[in-house]
Amino acid sequence: MIKGSLRMRRVLDGTEPPPVWPDGISVRTLGGVDDARPMHALLLATYGEGNEDLFPSFEDWWSRVGGDPEFDAALCFLAFDRAGGLAGVAQCWTSNFLKDLAVRPDMRRQGLGRALLLQVFAAFRARGATHVDLKVEANNEAGRRLYAQAGMIEVPWEG
């Protein structure tokens, strides 16, 4: 098992394809606390085991995330299924950083993660960004494969 995390980057040069959404998926940005509750639940279900410090109670999490100076609801993309359930989320910081990308287990392997990733690239390109970065656990082979297929490469940690 590989330990640690990697930083990956996609240079935004205009060659990014537009997102292609799976059938029945609708996408919009975060509308407020009513959207944040299912978002927290999905992130908790995806990342929560062993990461309780990252995903405490909803109230603590929302206070921390919503109060962060890099938070912008317009950079939080929510994908909903036909029934209106949250199927996936991509939450970004204003520093051109994809903080979280999560897809509900029953919606995986349908292209939703890739579509959310491409939506992030398009949003940052529209803002004039030259790149998008993210952190991925080194042992997350599926995530690393998704990001590499979308043109992301490993880069050294800065700072």
Side-chain angles (χ1 to χ4, degrees), residues 46-62:
T46 303
Y47 301 124
E49 189 173 322
N51 290 307
E52 289 78 12
D53 57 325
L54 296 176
F55 297 100
S57 71
F58 171 76
E59 290 75 17
D60 290 343
W61 172 83
W62 182 237

PDB file of all heavy atoms in Angstrom, residues 46-62:
ATOM      1  N   THR A  46     -18.628   9.149   2.021  1.00  0.00           N
ATOM      2  CA  THR A  46     -17.514   8.863   1.118  1.00  0.00           C
ATOM      3  C   THR A  46     -16.175   8.866   1.838  1.00  0.00           C
ATOM      4  O   THR A  46     -15.351   7.977   1.639  1.00  0.00           O
ATOM      5  CB  THR A  46     -17.481   9.894  -0.028  1.00  0.00           C
ATOM      6  OG1 THR A  46     -18.740   9.859  -0.704  1.00  0.00           O
ATOM      7  CG2 THR A  46     -16.377   9.583  -1.025  1.00  0.00           C
ATOM      8  N   TYR A  47     -15.943   9.872   2.675  1.00  0.00           N
ATOM      9  CA  TYR A  47     -14.637  10.057   3.302  1.00  0.00           C
ATOM     10  C   TYR A  47     -14.632   9.856   4.815  1.00  0.00           C
ATOM     11  O   TYR A  47     -13.565   9.846   5.417  1.00  0.00           O
ATOM     12  CB  TYR A  47     -14.127  11.490   3.087  1.00  0.00           C
ATOM     13  CG  TYR A  47     -13.958  11.928   1.674  1.00  0.00           C
ATOM     14  CD1 TYR A  47     -14.610  13.068   1.210  1.00  0.00           C
ATOM     15  CD2 TYR A  47     -13.130  11.253   0.803  1.00  0.00           C
ATOM     16  CE1 TYR A  47     -14.435  13.515  -0.087  1.00  0.00           C
ATOM     17  CE2 TYR A  47     -12.954  11.686  -0.499  1.00  0.00           C
ATOM     18  CZ  TYR A  47     -13.609  12.823  -0.929  1.00  0.00           C
ATOM     19  OH  TYR A  47     -13.434  13.262  -2.203  1.00  0.00           O
ATOM     20  N   GLY A  48     -15.785   9.763   5.418  1.00  0.00           N
ATOM     21  CA  GLY A  48     -15.902   9.868   6.864  1.00  0.00           C
ATOM     22  C   GLY A  48     -15.193   8.832   7.691  1.00  0.00           C
ATOM     23  O   GLY A  48     -14.638   9.155   8.737  1.00  0.00           O
ATOM     24  N   GLU A  49     -15.186   7.581   7.264  1.00  0.00           N
ATOM     25  CA  GLU A  49     -14.593   6.531   8.079  1.00  0.00           C
ATOM     26  C   GLU A  49     -13.106   6.810   8.283  1.00  0.00           C
ATOM     27  O   GLU A  49     -12.334   6.886   7.344  1.00  0.00           O
ATOM     28  CB  GLU A  49     -14.784   5.172   7.410  1.00  0.00           C
ATOM     29  CG  GLU A  49     -14.389   4.020   8.305  1.00  0.00           C
ATOM     30  CD  GLU A  49     -14.731   2.682   7.693  1.00  0.00           C
ATOM     31  OE1 GLU A  49     -15.793   2.565   7.059  1.00  0.00           O
ATOM     32  OE2 GLU A  49     -13.904   1.770   7.850  1.00  0.00           O
ATOM     33  N   GLY A  50     -12.748   7.004   9.539  1.00  0.00           N
ATOM     34  CA  GLY A  50     -11.362   7.313   9.870  1.00  0.00           C
ATOM     35  C   GLY A  50     -11.005   8.775   9.711  1.00  0.00           C
ATOM     36  O   GLY A  50      -9.869   9.167   9.963  1.00  0.00           O
ATOM     37  N   ASN A  51     -11.937   9.593   9.278  1.00  0.00           N
ATOM     38  CA  ASN A  51     -11.689  11.027   9.068  1.00  0.00           C
ATOM     39  C   ASN A  51     -12.707  11.880   9.817  1.00  0.00           C
ATOM     40  O   ASN A  51     -13.150  12.904   9.309  1.00  0.00           O
ATOM     41  CB  ASN A  51     -11.737  11.364   7.574  1.00  0.00           C
ATOM     42  CG  ASN A  51     -10.565  10.793   6.824  1.00  0.00           C
ATOM     43  OD1 ASN A  51      -9.425  11.014   7.203  1.00  0.00           O
ATOM     44  ND2 ASN A  51     -10.848  10.048   5.773  1.00  0.00           N
ATOM     45  N   GLU A  52     -13.060  11.464  11.012  1.00  0.00           N
ATOM     46  CA  GLU A  52     -14.081  12.183  11.769  1.00  0.00           C
ATOM     47  C   GLU A  52     -13.688  13.638  12.036  1.00  0.00           C
ATOM     48  O   GLU A  52     -14.542  14.507  12.149  1.00  0.00           O
ATOM     49  CB  GLU A  52     -14.385  11.463  13.083  1.00  0.00           C
ATOM     50  CG  GLU A  52     -15.129  10.159  12.907  1.00  0.00           C
ATOM     51  CD  GLU A  52     -14.243   8.982  12.462  1.00  0.00           C
ATOM     52  OE1 GLU A  52     -12.996   9.094  12.500  1.00  0.00           O
ATOM     53  OE2 GLU A  52     -14.810   7.962  12.047  1.00  0.00           O
ATOM     54  N   ASP A  53     -12.373  13.914  12.102  1.00  0.00           N
ATOM     55  CA  ASP A  53     -11.932  15.288  12.319  1.00  0.00           C
ATOM     56  C   ASP A  53     -12.240  16.170  11.117  1.00  0.00           C
ATOM     57  O   ASP A  53     -12.467  17.370  11.251  1.00  0.00           O
ATOM     58  CB  ASP A  53     -10.444  15.342  12.654  1.00  0.00           C
ATOM     59  CG  ASP A  53      -9.575  14.704  11.578  1.00  0.00           C
ATOM     60  OD1 ASP A  53     -10.020  13.707  10.971  1.00  0.00           O
ATOM     61  OD2 ASP A  53      -8.454  15.202  11.358  1.00  0.00           O
ATOM     62  N   LEU A  54     -12.276  15.593   9.908  1.00  0.00           N
ATOM     63  CA  LEU A  54     -12.605  16.354   8.706  1.00  0.00           C
ATOM     64  C   LEU A  54     -14.107  16.571   8.558  1.00  0.00           C
ATOM     65  O   LEU A  54     -14.533  17.546   7.969  1.00  0.00           O
ATOM     66  CB  LEU A  54     -12.094  15.630   7.459  1.00  0.00           C
ATOM     67  CG  LEU A  54     -10.591  15.465   7.341  1.00  0.00           C
ATOM     68  CD1 LEU A  54     -10.249  14.653   6.103  1.00  0.00           C
ATOM     69  CD2 LEU A  54      -9.905  16.809   7.305  1.00  0.00           C
ATOM     70  N   PHE A  55     -14.898  15.622   9.060  1.00  0.00           N
ATOM     71  CA  PHE A  55     -16.344  15.691   8.898  1.00  0.00           C
ATOM     72  C   PHE A  55     -17.033  15.509  10.250  1.00  0.00           C
ATOM     73  O   PHE A  55     -17.620  14.469  10.523  1.00  0.00           O
ATOM     74  CB  PHE A  55     -16.822  14.657   7.873  1.00  0.00           C
ATOM     75  CG  PHE A  55     -16.253  14.915   6.517  1.00  0.00           C
ATOM     76  CD1 PHE A  55     -15.170  14.207   6.062  1.00  0.00           C
ATOM     77  CD2 PHE A  55     -16.766  15.924   5.726  1.00  0.00           C
ATOM     78  CE1 PHE A  55     -14.613  14.472   4.824  1.00  0.00           C
ATOM     79  CE2 PHE A  55     -16.207  16.203   4.499  1.00  0.00           C
ATOM     80  CZ  PHE A  55     -15.133  15.482   4.039  1.00  0.00           C
ATOM     81  N   PRO A  56     -16.938  16.545  11.092  1.00  0.00           N
ATOM     82  CA  PRO A  56     -17.630  16.484  12.382  1.00  0.00           C
ATOM     83  C   PRO A  56     -19.131  16.657  12.161  1.00  0.00           C
ATOM     84  O   PRO A  56     -19.623  16.497  11.045  1.00  0.00           O
ATOM     85  CB  PRO A  56     -17.026  17.673  13.135  1.00  0.00           C
ATOM     86  CG  PRO A  56     -16.673  18.655  12.048  1.00  0.00           C
ATOM     87  CD  PRO A  56     -16.268  17.800  10.868  1.00  0.00           C
ATOM     88  N   SER A  57     -19.839  17.027  13.186  1.00  0.00           N
ATOM     89  CA  SER A  57     -21.276  17.261  13.051  1.00  0.00           C
ATOM     90  C   SER A  57     -21.525  18.261  11.924  1.00  0.00           C
ATOM     91  O   SER A  57     -20.648  19.060  11.570  1.00  0.00           O
ATOM     92  CB  SER A  57     -21.847  17.821  14.355  1.00  0.00           C
ATOM     93  OG  SER A  57     -21.398  19.154  14.543  1.00  0.00           O
ATOM     94  N   PHE A  58     -22.730  18.221  11.374  1.00  0.00           N
ATOM     95  CA  PHE A  58     -23.057  19.138  10.282  1.00  0.00           C
ATOM     96  C   PHE A  58     -22.804  20.582  10.690  1.00  0.00           C
ATOM     97  O   PHE A  58     -22.199  21.350   9.937  1.00  0.00           O
ATOM     98  CB  PHE A  58     -24.515  18.976   9.826  1.00  0.00           C
ATOM     99  CG  PHE A  58     -24.916  20.054   8.871  1.00  0.00           C
ATOM    100  CD1 PHE A  58     -24.493  20.014   7.555  1.00  0.00           C
ATOM    101  CD2 PHE A  58     -25.656  21.150   9.304  1.00  0.00           C
ATOM    102  CE1 PHE A  58     -24.814  21.037   6.664  1.00  0.00           C
ATOM    103  CE2 PHE A  58     -25.992  22.175   8.423  1.00  0.00           C
ATOM    104  CZ  PHE A  58     -25.566  22.114   7.096  1.00  0.00           C
ATOM    105  N   GLU A  59     -23.269  20.967  11.865  1.00  0.00           N
ATOM    106  CA  GLU A  59     -23.155  22.362  12.296  1.00  0.00           C
ATOM    107  C   GLU A  59     -21.697  22.810  12.348  1.00  0.00           C
ATOM    108  O   GLU A  59     -21.342  23.893  11.875  1.00  0.00           O
ATOM    109  CB  GLU A  59     -23.836  22.571  13.646  1.00  0.00           C
ATOM    110  CG  GLU A  59     -25.348  22.475  13.598  1.00  0.00           C
ATOM    111  CD  GLU A  59     -25.883  21.035  13.465  1.00  0.00           C
ATOM    112  OE1 GLU A  59     -25.127  20.055  13.720  1.00  0.00           O
ATOM    113  OE2 GLU A  59     -27.054  20.894  13.082  1.00  0.00           O
ATOM    114  N   ASP A  60     -20.820  21.966  12.915  1.00  0.00           N
ATOM    115  CA  ASP A  60     -19.401  22.318  12.994  1.00  0.00           C
ATOM    116  C   ASP A  60     -18.761  22.356  11.600  1.00  0.00           C
ATOM    117  O   ASP A  60     -17.986  23.256  11.284  1.00  0.00           O
ATOM    118  CB  ASP A  60     -18.647  21.329  13.885  1.00  0.00           C
ATOM    119  CG  ASP A  60     -19.009  21.466  15.352  1.00  0.00           C
ATOM    120  OD1 ASP A  60     -19.585  22.498  15.741  1.00  0.00           O
ATOM    121  OD2 ASP A  60     -18.718  20.519  16.107  1.00  0.00           O
ATOM    122  N   TRP A  61     -19.097  21.364  10.789  1.00  0.00           N
ATOM    123  CA  TRP A  61     -18.543  21.310   9.436  1.00  0.00           C
ATOM    124  C   TRP A  61     -18.980  22.529   8.620  1.00  0.00           C
ATOM    125  O   TRP A  61     -18.162  23.186   7.974  1.00  0.00           O
ATOM    126  CB  TRP A  61     -19.002  20.014   8.755  1.00  0.00           C
ATOM    127  CG  TRP A  61     -18.655  19.930   7.301  1.00  0.00           C
ATOM    128  CD1 TRP A  61     -17.468  19.536   6.766  1.00  0.00           C
ATOM    129  CD2 TRP A  61     -19.508  20.243   6.199  1.00  0.00           C
ATOM    130  NE1 TRP A  61     -17.529  19.589   5.386  1.00  0.00           N
ATOM    131  CE2 TRP A  61     -18.775  20.016   5.018  1.00  0.00           C
ATOM    132  CE3 TRP A  61     -20.831  20.691   6.097  1.00  0.00           C
ATOM    133  CZ2 TRP A  61     -19.309  20.226   3.754  1.00  0.00           C
ATOM    134  CZ3 TRP A  61     -21.357  20.896   4.830  1.00  0.00           C
ATOM    135  CH2 TRP A  61     -20.604  20.667   3.679  1.00  0.00           C
ATOM    136  N   TRP A  62     -20.275  22.839   8.634  1.00  0.00           N
ATOM    137  CA  TRP A  62     -20.790  23.952   7.840  1.00  0.00           C
ATOM    138  C   TRP A  62     -20.218  25.279   8.308  1.00  0.00           C
ATOM    139  O   TRP A  62     -19.890  26.149   7.500  1.00  0.00           O
ATOM    140  CB  TRP A  62     -22.313  23.959   7.861  1.00  0.00           C
ATOM    141  CG  TRP A  62     -22.926  25.039   7.022  1.00  0.00           C
ATOM    142  CD1 TRP A  62     -23.784  26.010   7.445  1.00  0.00           C
ATOM    143  CD2 TRP A  62     -22.743  25.266   5.621  1.00  0.00           C
ATOM    144  NE1 TRP A  62     -24.135  26.824   6.392  1.00  0.00           N
ATOM    145  CE2 TRP A  62     -23.512  26.385   5.260  1.00  0.00           C
ATOM    146  CE3 TRP A  62     -22.004  24.629   4.638  1.00  0.00           C
ATOM    147  CZ2 TRP A  62     -23.558  26.886   3.970  1.00  0.00           C
ATOM    148  CZ3 TRP A  62     -22.048  25.138   3.342  1.00  0.00           C
ATOM    149  CH2 TRP A  62     -22.826  26.244   3.021  1.00  0.00           C
TER     150      TRP A  62
END
